[in-house]
């Protein structure tokens, strides 16, 4: 069914690469995870087993006094692991905040890292580990093209244990570190399998006190990781196709392994996200969403994402007036979660365009679009294949309405007049947008933003 | 649904471990795979990227002159990687043949390994890498209890790239190395996440010349890896439960990650095994089965297997008169595949008891048994839950009949008089049999062998 449409792509003729993907890599970075209520307590033993003697624990200022970090520190102390805390991680990191963490890491000469926090903390820690291990590199060396040089990483990194405290980013399993490049006012990233954490400790106890909107918004990130990675350009249709494995990108297009993770994560979102949002004490639902975040991470970390993510960066970057819907603040611990997302919620910025995006992309792989609509609850038995995009978009709209999502870009402060700026902000995101199953002109992007102004 | 039955187990009270599993490990061994027709050609580049300067290429005598090894050697030469070939791997390795390979590895002081072959070659290479990296260890130190000491591996190993040439073992993704311990006439193993290959190169070109029976028998191994790992005791019900992650077994019981791989591999077996057996040129079917072997390996390598495997070792070990069904030898390359399995085919020894085993185990997790029956083609809409075992057994019998499997243990030379010896040969396999969802007495085992005498 796929092959009805492949001929419009510049199909790679390299006989090997055209059928090659790797789940992991050739430089031994991994997606190992351990899951369980309380696994954070084991981090000291893990570091002891690795022989670590000088550990850097990274977190942010708000989290540093709260249970997830306290539990990790207690475990380090109990196991006699010498460590230094770096709690200056910036939420929504920038090149400047990355540099500060890198300098700290270089001076500390650490032999292992622990990152406790959300995507900002894990991403900062990955960058610190990378550049401290590669002291002669220029910062742009490893930043993705076209802004950076996108050099492959060949230096060995130190072990990094990631302890996520949100259920969305999946950064504990990916080789991606995202930051704001302030000079150009654009969100870009470092993407290399080499910076994947050595181990992710998926501890659902850290998710019990997340307020409903944080659960919803981070869940939307998982939803889009799954939907986008499942519909990226398949790995054998991507170009260019470097002959040396080490120069192949981590985002290599959809493939038989990433597909498994994407679909499985999507099933969990369909089954548990609403429950997880509704009830902070629903340990089962929140545990499953914490796993789904990691699962979707393994999927998109190998396959990539495309338009929802590519278009999300200007949406969150250019917003002026948005005030997040009232968070449930009846629990004293909630404040730390809220403080960590002072900006426009990433998951919301990603999901707002999803009905428009999948309406646009469905003509390429309509079966996959229908299949995901069915998982999200649509009755697709009588659906026509040419309506796949509409069916998925309608299913998403219903799902987002049930979860009380703002009614489109207009509801978060955008108007038609902003569209040129939004399009302009999307163009540098070719790291991901080129993985969309359908190429997009600037007019296409403008139409997608316009179609996302109102959802319901 | 699960929890209706848990109370008869000695449930572990350790609060952390009772909810903990790890997909991978804390010592950074991985299940990275790269898939594609021709990926073997890339092995030299991978080794160059790892900085290898003194590589050991392991294989067996028959394979050493044939294409899979030649392609790998050409790639090493082309990339300027100095290497030494060890082609003395014994098919169905023993402690003596392991020791010989270990001595070779110790003398060679290699900095990386490449294993090209089936399970025997990959397992021998894992053992050589392990003991060469741990020169002061006694051979029994790392062998599984009760025969060995089952010590955790804390030494760092060298990179090992595995290139499987059969589609059954999954050894390219597991931390398991199986051998005959001649002194006690028993098949046992070394099981540690630390010995997992660094990278598996899944090259379907190596599968095109496998004769039909080899495809069928190795496919049965995949089938049972999937069925057994999906029905092992769940990870949180296993005991003992060591508090330190490094002492937890690789075979940790079924868990949310191994389940994904088991089910996915089973779906591939259901869809492609018959086609792969029927037509040696069906690259699509054989490619999918080659992937399924790796996928099921990731599943059972983390969850374990149970009775079909535990009972298979005496079946293959005690057989006297069996002559494998005629192999299709019309292709000159086939001879090398046949030569590599001079003994009773492992996959056949595993699958012959499967209808009896799953009839026996189904009362514990009947939903899982019904689910797998449905994947294998049964209409379960009107099936009663208490008939789950019978439904799966009947589905398996039909599947095996279609694939022309010998009609039970009697058809391969066993009679009732052999049952005590078969039971006795199963008892030392507690490494796996203790993972069965239902405990077994010697009488139970005897009844399972008896029920497996005739299949149809």
């Amino acid at each position: 069914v796929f092959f009805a449409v492949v001929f419009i792509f510049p199909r790679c003729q390299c006989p090997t690469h055209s059928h090659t993907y790797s789940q992991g890599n050739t430089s031994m970075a991994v997606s190992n995870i351990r899951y369980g209520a309380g696994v954070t307590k084991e981090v000291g033993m893990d570091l002891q087993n690795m022989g670590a003697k000088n550990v850097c624990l990274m977190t942010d200022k708000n989290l540093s006094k709260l249970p997830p970090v306290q539990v990790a520190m207690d475990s380090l102390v109990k196991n006699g692991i010498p460590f230094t805390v770096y709690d200056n991680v910036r939420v929504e990191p920038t090149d400047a905040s990355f540099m500060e963490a890198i300098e700290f890491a270089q001076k500390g000469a650490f032999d292992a890292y622990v990152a406790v926090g959300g995507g900002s903390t894990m991403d900062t820690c990955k960058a610190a580990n990378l550049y401290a291990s590669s002291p002669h590199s220029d910062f742009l060396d490893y930043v993705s093209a076209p802004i950076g040089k996108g050099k492959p990483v060949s230096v060995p990194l130190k072990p990094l244990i990631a302890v996520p405290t949100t259920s969305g980013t999946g950064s504990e399993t990916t080789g991606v570190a995202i930051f704001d490049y302030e000079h150009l006012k654009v969100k870009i990233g470092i993407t290399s399998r080499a910076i994947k954490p050595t181990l992710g400790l998926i501890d659902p106890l850290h998710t019990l006190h997340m307020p409903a909107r944080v659960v919803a918004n981070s869940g939307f990130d998982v939803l889009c990781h799954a939907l986008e990675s499942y519909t990226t350009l398949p790995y054998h249709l991507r170009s260019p196709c470097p002959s040396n494995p080490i120069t192949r990108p981590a985002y290599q297009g959809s493939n038989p392994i990433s597909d498994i993770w994407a679909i499985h994560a999507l099933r969990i979102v369909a089954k548990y996200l609403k429950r997880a949002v509704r009830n902070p004490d629903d340990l089962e639902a929140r545990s499953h969403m914490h796993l789904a975040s990691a699962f979707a991470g393994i999927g998109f970390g190998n396959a990539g994402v495309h338009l929802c993510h590519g278009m999300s960066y200007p949406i969150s970057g250019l917003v002026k007036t948005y005030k997040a819907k009232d968070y449930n603040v009846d629990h004293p611990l909630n404040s730390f979660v809220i403080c960590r997302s002072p900006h426009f919620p990433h998951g919301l910025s990603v999901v707002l365009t999803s009905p428009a995006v999948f309406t646009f992309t469905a003509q390429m792989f309509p079966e996959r679009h229908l299949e995901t609509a069915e998982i999200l609850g649509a009755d697709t038995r009588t659906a026509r294949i040419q309506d796949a995009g509409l069916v998925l978009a309608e299913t998403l709209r219903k799902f987002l309405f049930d979860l009380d999502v703002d009614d489109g870009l207009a509801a978060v402060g955008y108007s038609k007049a902003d569209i040129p700026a939004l399009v302009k902000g999307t163009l540098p995101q070719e790291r991901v947008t080129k993985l969309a199953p359908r190429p997009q002109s600037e007019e296409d992007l403008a139409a997608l933003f316009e179609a996302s102004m109102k959802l319901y």
Side-chain angles (χ1 to χ4, degrees), chain A:
Chain A
V1 196
F2 261 35
F3 295 95
V5 293
V6 305
F7 301 107
I8 68 160
F9 292 106
R11 180 164 178 148
C12 159
Q13 295 303 316
C14 148
T16 298
H17 180 60
S18 67
H19 295 274
T20 300
Y21 67 90
S22 56
Q23 181 196 13
N25 58 66
T26 54
S27 54
M28 278 172 283
V30 301
S31 293
N32 289 324
I33 62 174
R34 190 179 318 129
Y35 159 73
V39 284
T40 309
K41 286 183 208 154
E42 299 180 351
V43 68
M45 276 188 285
D46 288 315
L47 289 163
Q48 198 178 55
N49 294 336
M50 291 170 179
K53 301 207 175 343
N54 180 23
V55 170
C56 176
L57 190 159
M58 287 211 173
T59 189
D60 65 55
K61 281 260 173 359
N62 295 301
L63 205 51
S64 65
K65 292 160 205 82
L66 290 161
V69 171
Q70 293 302 320
V71 171
M73 290 203 294
D74 288 349
S75 174
L76 293 172
V77 170
K78 198 177 152 194
N79 288 279
I81 307 285
F83 68 98
T84 313
V85 174
Y86 179 84
D87 66 358
N88 223 10
V89 165
R90 183 187 149 107
V91 175
E92 304 297 325
T94 63
D95 48 332
S97 79
F98 267 18
M99 284 308 302
E100 195 198 302
I102 291 164
E103 275 170 38
F104 185 87
Q106 281 170 338
K107 280 186 195 146
F110 302 108
D111 58 7
Y113 294 82
V114 177
V116 183
S120 300
T121 297
M122 293 186 273
D123 289 6
T124 301
C125 198
K126 291 174 188 175
N129 188 6
L130 171 62
Y131 288 96
S133 303
S134 188
H136 303 298
S137 294
D138 187 72
F139 182 69
L140 286 180
D141 280 356
Y142 296 126
V143 172
S144 298
I147 288 165
K149 293 186 196 149
K151 281 193 186 169
V153 178
S154 57
V155 294
L157 270 64
K158 304 297 182 191
L160 190 169
I161 301 181
V163 186
T165 56
T166 58
S167 306
T169 167
S171 181
E172 66 277 15
T173 71
T174 73
V176 185
I178 302 285
F179 63 97
D180 286 314
Y181 192 51
E182 292 185 307
H183 173 59
L184 297 179
K185 289 196 193 325
V186 64
K187 252 196 200 323
I188 52 175
I190 299 162
T191 307
S192 165
R193 296 178 195 104
I195 64 171
K196 273 189 195 176
T198 316
L199 175 67
L201 295 178
I202 316 292
D203 189 339
L205 294 185
H206 301 328
T207 70
L208 287 180
H209 306 296
M210 276 198 285
R213 285 328 302 167
V214 176
V215 176
N217 289 330
S218 47
F220 298 145
D221 200 16
V222 179
L223 172 70
C224 288
H225 286 159
L227 288 173
E228 288 174 71
S229 63
Y230 194 59
T231 54
T232 52
L233 207 55
Y235 70 100
H236 57 282
L237 301 180
R238 176 178 51 76
S239 66
C241 51
S243 61
N244 189 325
I246 205 173
T247 49
R248 290 178 199 151
Y251 281 1
Q252 56 196 319
S254 62
N255 62 65
I257 290 192
S258 65
D259 287 350
I260 298 173
W261 295 110
I263 287 297
H264 193 67
L266 191 64
R267 288 211 176 97
I268 298 176
V269 170
K271 186 167 179 184
Y272 289 108
L273 179 56
K274 289 182 185 177
R275 271 178 55 182
V277 171
R278 178 77 53 88
N279 181 1
D281 297 324
D282 189 338
L283 180 60
E284 184 192 353
R286 292 199 167 193
S287 295
H288 279 284
M289 283 305 303
H290 213 34
L291 266 179
S293 169
F295 290 171
I298 303 176
F300 90 82
N302 282 293
V305 284
H306 56 82
L307 286 170
C308 297
H309 270 77
M311 295 164 66
S312 79
Y313 299 120
I315 292 173
S316 53
L318 300 174
V319 86
K320 293 154 227 148
T321 58
Y322 181 73
K323 193 176 161 300
K325 279 195 183 183
D326 57 335
Y327 278 4
N328 167 10
V329 287
D330 61 2
H331 192 289
L333 275 176
N334 284 347
S335 57
F336 85 83
V337 183
I338 296 169
C339 293
R340 278 155 54 220
S341 284
H343 307 284
F344 194 80
H346 169 68
L348 182 61
S349 72
V350 163
V351 86
L352 286 173
T353 58
S354 62
V357 161
F358 294 109
T359 307
F360 173 76
T361 56
Q363 65 173 250
M364 297 313 301
F365 305 114
E367 290 82 1
R368 290 196 165 216
H369 288 71
L370 264 192
E371 184 186 353
T372 55
E374 188 175 10
I375 291 170
L376 289 171
D379 181 348
T380 62
R381 284 172 299 181
T382 57
R384 297 184 312 170
I385 195 74
Q386 60 266 45
D387 293 336
L390 296 173
V391 172
L392 176 54
E394 197 50 38
T395 310
L396 283 168
R397 284 194 188 93
K398 190 170 169 302
F399 192 75
L400 300 185
F401 183 84
D402 290 349
L403 281 162
D404 200 19
V405 171
D406 300 277
D407 189 7
L409 293 177
V412 300
Y414 285 104
S415 70
K416 259 183 129 166
D418 299 307
I419 290 179
L422 290 167
V423 170
K424 188 166 166 247
T426 305
L427 296 179
Q429 303 300 332
E430 66 167 62
R431 176 181 67 91
V432 291
T433 54
K434 72 182 177 190
L435 283 167
R438 231 183 116 176
Q440 332 86 45
S441 64
E442 292 189 34
E443 291 70 32
D444 290 330
L445 290 174
L448 290 173
F449 281 115
E450 184 160 358
S452 303
M453 284 292 165
K454 197 165 161 42
L455 288 181
Y456 311 122

